[in-house]
Amino acid sequence: MATLYEGYTLCGVGPVQNSSNIGILGVEQGRDIDYVLVTDSSRSITVYKVSDQKPTGSWSVKQGQIISCPAVFNTQSQEYVVVTDDRVVRVWKEDDVNLEKAFKATVSADVLRVLSATDSEPVVLFCCGAVRFLDSLLASPQQPIEDVLTEDEIIRWSTIVKAEHQLVVLFSTEQRGEHCLYVQRFNPNTLVKHRIETEPGLSAPISFSATCRGSNIHLLYLYLNGSVYESVLPFRSSSTGAEGVQALSCSLCLSLPLGEEKLMSGAAVVLDEAHVAVIGFPHPSAGACKDYLCIWNTHFQTLQASKEMAGRIYSQLWCYSGKLYVPHGKMLSVIPFDCQKSSLAAAMGKLKQTSRSGKDFSVEIWNICPNVKSALTVDQLVEHIKTSAVEDVQAEVGEFIRRAPQADLQLAAGRVALELVSRSQTDANFYPQCAFLQLLETRYLCYSVCPELLSLAMVKKDFHLCQIAFQIFSDIPEAVTCACLKAILSTPDLEMETVNLDTDSVIFMKELTQAHSRSDEEGGQLNGFCPPALESDVSDTPSNKLQRDPLSLDMSCPVGLHKGALLNEVLQTAYSDRSLLPHLKDLTVPQVIVFLQYLRFLYFKYSHDAHKQIRALRTPSISQIIDWVCLLLDAHFTVLAVAPEAKRLVFDLHKFVRSQVKLYAELGKIEGSLQVLKNSKQSEDFGMYAIQVIELF
Amino acid sequence: MGEFKVHRVRFFDYMPSGIRALAFNRDIERIAVARMDGSVEVFHCSDRFFQEKIIPGREQCGIEGLSWVGERLFSAGLNGGITEYDLTNQKVKYTVDAYGGPIWTIAGNQQGTHLAVGCEDGTVKLFEVNEDKIQFERNLDRQKSRIISLSWHPSGSKIAAGMMDMIQIFNVETGHSVHRLLADRGVGTSRSKECVVWSVVYLSDGTIISGDSVGMVKLWDDQTGTLIKSHNVTKCDVITSYLIVPLEWQNEDSLVAGTSEGTVVQFQFISMVLGKDDKEWVRTRTFKNHTHDIRAVAEITTAVVSGGMDAQLVVRPLLDKVEVRSAASALRKIHFPHRRLVSCARKSGLMLFQYPGHLELWRLGESEGKGSSLFVKRNPEKLLHLKVKGEDHIRCSAVSPCGEWIVYSTASSLRLYRLHCDNNNVSITKISKLPMVLSSANQLCFSSDSSHLFSASTQSSVHLVSLSQSGCKFVGTLKPKSGSHQAIHLLAASEDGKWLASANSDHEVHIYNLQTRKAHCTVPVYSSAVTAMGIHPTTNCLFMMYADQQMCEYSIEQKQYTDWSRMVQRKGLHRFWMERDTPCLNVMFNPQHPSHVILHDTYMLCIIDQSLPLPDDKTQFYNQLTLKSLPEEQRKSHSHAFKVCKTFKDILCVELMSDQSLVVVERPLEDVASQLPAPIKQKKFAT
């Protein structure tokens, strides 16, 4: 199941000036995964640190000059490269302030793009189809450039793919309605031309995306009619001497549903072997509005996740290191996503979702690059934590957890968590929630290993982390439990509902509150239980006379779903009465009343067997609920006796408990009778004489 | 395997009598037990505490002390007489009056030459032990109060005597008191009560140890007459003067005291510092195995034996003295006599219960219906209550298989009755003019066709009497060819009337041919006593159970052990079988299943199927539940020869009637406990 997370805006998109109707020329990978290079169509190139949503550098060209291709970062020389006015190649470093003073060279032919892959020399693709390495081009800028393409053949799209230290440049061309794919391999330099053959009647492919898997390049291309085709190219050319145009075999791997409106543009990008992100195509169930970003599963043809994009869509989509970059309206949004291993059950939504929100997803194209930061030791990681940015830290921790052997992880998890917590406590901006969640999920943490974590989460109001910690830690001291309880009770429901919580617990709460309405509709209690004591009590309280069933009114949940889910976690923690009691006294009167109301709600629900129908992994047991009621009554006896707002609550509770006591007293009688029956069967006491039959075997 | 209809009988109100005195003879490893009813029993300490000899008591004969002199056993009691027992024939040999009023204590010196008794009139009387009698020698200085306890100095020159409030030390030579040691009374309300020195022990180093009614064990020095040390073994907050502390010492390094609370306290003479010779008497261990007050304790080689008002003899092993832990060294509680008190008329459904002073004859009930617990159509019926003439208690009794004859014997007389049952009218006639030989019997047995009565008599002989409508007629006497003259305690007649087997307390089993009235053969003597035996109805093999839980099957006709018996000896019996701590008391055969032998002890009923393989130590011994859970066809592969039924507890007797039903006579210990007098002092909570 793929997930699209809450996105955020990286930068605004300037007013469209040029004819191409495109605000952003391109988004390219910066010096590491947290940096991107945004080239807008006006005159500026900006480097952003994605996790901070902050620009770290910006350069612009002089008025009159035009940036003709997206800037790229040369990871080998740590330099930026851009082409202005089609023929001027400019190269500069991070600390160069003025682009004008940077190195520039004028080449002899129009440059289409500069393509750069990690740890390799950038490649310059000329409009005529010729390809040069940047360094060789800059060595003699005025070298003649041969024409590869015919005169009216125009390059529509180009990319570079790197695997096994081998670079491949792909570009597609259009010539009088005929589409070709050129595959340029290096060392030895070969250029193979493929003709893209599709069913007749199809117009031009509007979007291409290429990834490298195994020893093949997978090329995905999208047509306006919603068809997504896939072609597989061998990475190394099998037949070096092959002449002429080869037909490119392709297969339909996805048919996107089309709306009523005629589509003009769209874009697709491959996320992993089974998922593809598509923008510009309508959501199958959202009607005419086409401004949706969707993730489709190509294996099962299912829509996995979608997100509405406000504003105009530019049919541009980039994907770097688990984040999608979508220009829409007047902004460029960054949307993190997560694609999990797909199974049919997951694709159909039947598999129980385990919360793995912090998992660092890696697109194939990044996986094939040797990861520099993979083999961190604990000490290195701890050092990094002290200084690095949140995003880096989260990625590193995730990587560390994935790679470290279990035994080492057990020792390291606590240390890493401690370091993260201590940094978070000193640095207000630093709070790597994902890293904490990942560490918790290893289950090597417990409260005593990292006592500050829970209080930190409380301070940060990170109730999701609190919830996971409550589920995983078995040694939370009573004082902390109470502090958390207090924090949960004092947080307004509105604020609480926005918190991302473990779905299972929320579903349980949802079911619990719904079970109430359902049983109401059925017009009676499910097990036919009718407390006899209530009838007699009605006469004591005239206000109750109007209500046929005084209990049914109080069956509404006094707290929100999310708060309820969190309270359930508190109820399920281990504690000892004596230590809990003094801390429980710290609750304020409204908190006590709300909590007691909630406990009463649960108790009523449970007594009506509503919970039995709900399948959830973690639910508070009836005895836990009763224990907490007892504790709460013990701790705030006087408060509940005096507070006027508690009167009604206590009265109701008492009435119900009394009816239950009467019921159980009756059950006790039955049990006694049954016991006697059982005993009389087993009784050995036959008096002075009996005639029995024994059997020996 | 099979079903049995079982008559569970719990209306035999047998009450064991409280234990009053114990005496241990280290040379022959026997412990003598005197009970409240005047009976004396001898247990064999190294043969699983088998009750070898029972000398029935008499009315009004309260034994207060027992003493071994060599292998001779003497007792003295409140009737003022000193009694010597004939252990060979298990009866009183003679009684000599000491003429000093009730006797409270008796003690023999280690040299075996003299007996001293302490009398109510305040005299210590010395008797010389002669070859066949005892002879009054003289009195020591007469004291003002009664003599409660006595102890000889091992040299035989001094005697310590415990009295009221004091201990006197006498010089035996002169008969004068050497020292007077004053025992303190209790504090508070008990101050007005006399302190009774219930027990004294005179050690060779001159230390005198006393146990008194205040609950103190005190150590005295006989040279200076001073108190060295005192131990409070029981709380003295009770005003009663029954705080009894009997003492018994063994090796002069260990001493046990019993208290009225039912605890036994051990003191040991050990050095306080390891490796130093500086020894002291230190209270070391406390055992609590009794519910009532302890009246007698004895320390034997490896165990502490105690007995009291709750009538059970408790053998508590001292594990530091046990070399190999085994079944023989386990805690043992002896509740019931190792003799059968019930005899059944197999063919007529009658049971004869033997009480000390009377006999009861009951008819079994009848049932109808099916199931595991049957409806009792007719309740059991008490037909007869037969009181014994004279003061002697019953030694043995029997009812004939047909139910027509009842016989019992006391130490002095034997009575034979004929029973007439016409519908509901029951009458008996005493057979007069019994042959002279039938004056008394050690064991009685009828032949299976009820035509003959076998009476075990002195010299290990058996008298044979034929019974008829007109009366009885002496037929002859069966005598063993050779061997000991110990009393016979078991008799077994064969179904075909051809053979009779007798077992005596010297472990000899003689087999007689009843047709020729001659001794046929003798089963090889085994080291353990025979506790039960029976002759197989079809094969005429004698099946014997021994006190050490071994079993033997001896073919009478071939005069040798059977192959099965040899196989049992070769393979050995299962560990669990050997660890049982009560002897088997009856051997029965089921005519319908010739391979089955039915046995029972106090806690179980067992059927041995001789056709099945024997269990080895790895097989599950108590497998009845397992077999029950298995399907029919698999049972065969899991079953072994021993089919143990533990449904019943506290079994006094099991008998197989001729209608294939079993009679199980139980005497639940709870019932016994509920009929005991209230304990003097019972520990309640933290008191």
Side-chain angles (χ1 to χ4, degrees), chain B residues 232-243:
Chain B
N232 194 351
V233 292
T234 173
K235 295 256 168 63
C236 56
D237 55 350
V238 198
I239 41 170
T240 170
S241 62
Y242 287 107
L243 286 168

Side-chain angles (χ1 to χ4, degrees), chain A residues 40-227:
Chain A
D40 68 22
S41 54
S42 51
R43 294 179 324 210
S44 65
I45 300 149
T46 316
V47 176
Y48 289 95
K49 187 166 166 35
V50 180
S51 55
D52 290 355
Q53 308 174 37
K54 269 195 265 186
T56 59
S58 180
W59 301 270
S60 48
V61 294
K62 273 206 291 195
Q63 197 141 23
Q65 292 176 341
I66 294 167
I67 298 174
S68 56
C69 83
V72 296
F73 183 73
N74 180 353
T75 51
Q76 280 198 322
S77 60
Q78 298 284 308
E79 288 169 330
Y80 297 96
V81 183
V82 80
V83 178
T84 55
D85 297 329
D86 293 335
R87 289 201 179 194
V88 183
V89 179
R90 291 172 190 263
V91 179
W92 74 100
K93 285 199 185 289
E94 180 87 54
D95 43 4
D96 290 340
V97 181
N98 196 343
L99 210 51
E100 282 306 306
K101 288 179 181 165
F103 172 85
K104 62 183 172 187
T106 308
V107 292
S108 58
D110 284 358
V111 174
L112 182 79
R113 267 186 88 176
V114 182
L115 299 164
S116 171
T118 318
D119 290 336
S120 53
E121 188 63 27
V123 176
V124 180
L125 175 65
F126 292 91
C127 287
C128 58
V131 172
R132 292 285 187 280
F133 279 109
L134 183 65
D135 51 353
S136 66
L137 181 65
L138 294 181
S140 56
Q142 288 299 318
Q143 60 181 277
I145 304 299
E146 76 280 4
D147 279 341
V148 175
L149 304 177
T150 50
E151 216 164 278
D152 52 352
E153 205 172 2
I154 306 158
I155 297 179
R156 289 291 181 197
W157 167 84
S158 60
T159 193
I160 185 165
V161 175
K162 183 187 179 193
E164 303 166 16
H165 305 288
Q166 173 82 34
L167 286 173
V168 175
V169 172
L170 301 165
F171 54 95
S172 72
T173 61
E174 184 181 359
Q175 185 187 24
R176 290 192 298 275
E178 194 172 279
H179 297 269
C180 291
L181 181 74
Y182 290 83
V183 180
Q184 170 76 55
R185 295 182 177 88
F186 300 92
N187 211 7
N189 284 12
T190 55
L191 181 67
V192 182
K193 184 182 178 184
H194 299 276
R195 192 174 57 250
I196 298 174
E197 287 184 332
T198 50
E199 293 153 45
L202 277 182
S203 54
I206 53 168
S207 180
F208 291 85
S209 178
T211 54
C212 177
R213 288 204 286 277
S215 56
N216 293 320
I217 299 165
H218 290 249
L219 182 69
L220 223 75
Y221 36 103
L222 173 69
Y223 287 88
L224 264 182
N225 68 348
S227 308

Side-chain angles (χ1 to χ4, degrees), chain A residues 631-642:
Chain A
L631 279 171
L632 205 60
L633 291 177
D634 277 354
H636 293 279
F637 191 81
T638 24
V639 169
L640 291 167
V642 170

Side-chain angles (χ1 to χ4, degrees), chain A residues 684-697, chain B residues 1-2 4 6-8 10 365 372 374 380 607 624 643:
Chain A
E684 274 288 296
D685 186 29
F686 50 82
M688 300 307 258
Y689 181 69
I691 304 176
Q692 298 176 342
V693 173
I694 58 162
E695 196 180 4
L696 289 172
F697 299 97
Chain B
M1 161 104 184
F4 288 95
V6 180
H7 297 267
R8 287 185 84 166
R10 286 189 177 176
S372 64
L374 303 179
I607 297 180
Q624 284 298 309
K643 305 181 175 306

Side-chain angles (χ1 to χ4, degrees), chain B residues 520-536:
Chain B
H520 175 68
C521 63
T522 301
V523 178
V525 175
Y526 183 61
S527 61
S528 185
V530 181
T531 65
M533 61 183 184
I535 298 174
H536 197 283

Side-chain angles (χ1 to χ4, degrees), chain B residues 585-629:
Chain B
L585 291 183
N586 199 2
V587 175
M588 293 150 278
F589 302 95
N590 187 347
Q592 293 187 346
H593 297 281
S595 65
H596 290 182
V597 182
I598 306 172
L599 305 169
H600 84 90
D601 67 10
T602 308
Y603 301 107
M604 60 101 211
L605 165 72
C606 176
I607 297 180
I608 297 175
D609 188 339
Q610 291 176 311
S611 65
L612 287 175
L614 290 169
D616 58 25
D617 267 354
K618 278 173 227 142
T619 37
Q620 183 193 9
F621 186 69
Y622 299 115
N623 61 352
Q624 284 298 309
L625 277 178
T626 315
L627 290 179
K628 192 178 180 181
S629 65

